[in-house]
Amino acid sequence: MTVHCYLRVSTNLQAMSGVGIAYQKEQCELYCKRNGIDTDIQYYVDNGVSGSLDIYKRPELTRAINALNNDDVLLAYDSSRLSRSAFVWLTIEKVKN
């Protein structure tokens, strides 16, 4: 199993607000540690990319989804990092299955 950790900020202001890329990465690592997930973690970072964009307009999210295998996990600090759109969530679920 591999954990594919997706990290995203939309703006420079967001990056400096306390939930920037480094913080998101730290939280993903803590989540794995707290839940006994001792495995390879791959990181995918989209800087300055809106969460409202289609999956295929976010290169690192696309790369993360394409890298998923059967037992892998797609992890993000918060669901809003992946998307705020139910359609995008459904698309990710469909691609994964």
Side-chain angles (χ1 to χ4, degrees), residues 7-76:
L7 314 169
R8 182 184 65 77
V9 291
S10 301
T11 65
N12 287 336
L13 180 63
Q14 192 176 49
M16 297 175 359
S17 72
V19 290
I21 296 300
Y23 180 78
Q24 292 177 42
K25 181 179 179 183
E26 177 184 307
Q27 292 304 305
C28 287
E29 291 169 352
L30 283 172
Y31 176 86
C32 289
K33 185 176 181 178
R34 286 182 190 142
N35 289 283
I37 302 169
D38 184 25
T39 188
D40 184 34
I41 302 175
Q42 298 294 315
Y43 297 96
Y44 305 85
V45 181
D46 276 326
N47 278 304
V49 177
S50 172
S52 66
L53 291 176
D54 184 69
I55 291 172
Y56 301 105
K57 292 182 181 176
R58 294 193 270 159
E60 288 299 292
L61 180 56
T62 300
R63 199 166 71 86
I65 291 168
N66 288 336
L68 291 171
N69 290 312
N70 287 340
D71 294 332
D72 290 353
V73 174
L74 180 60
L75 181 64

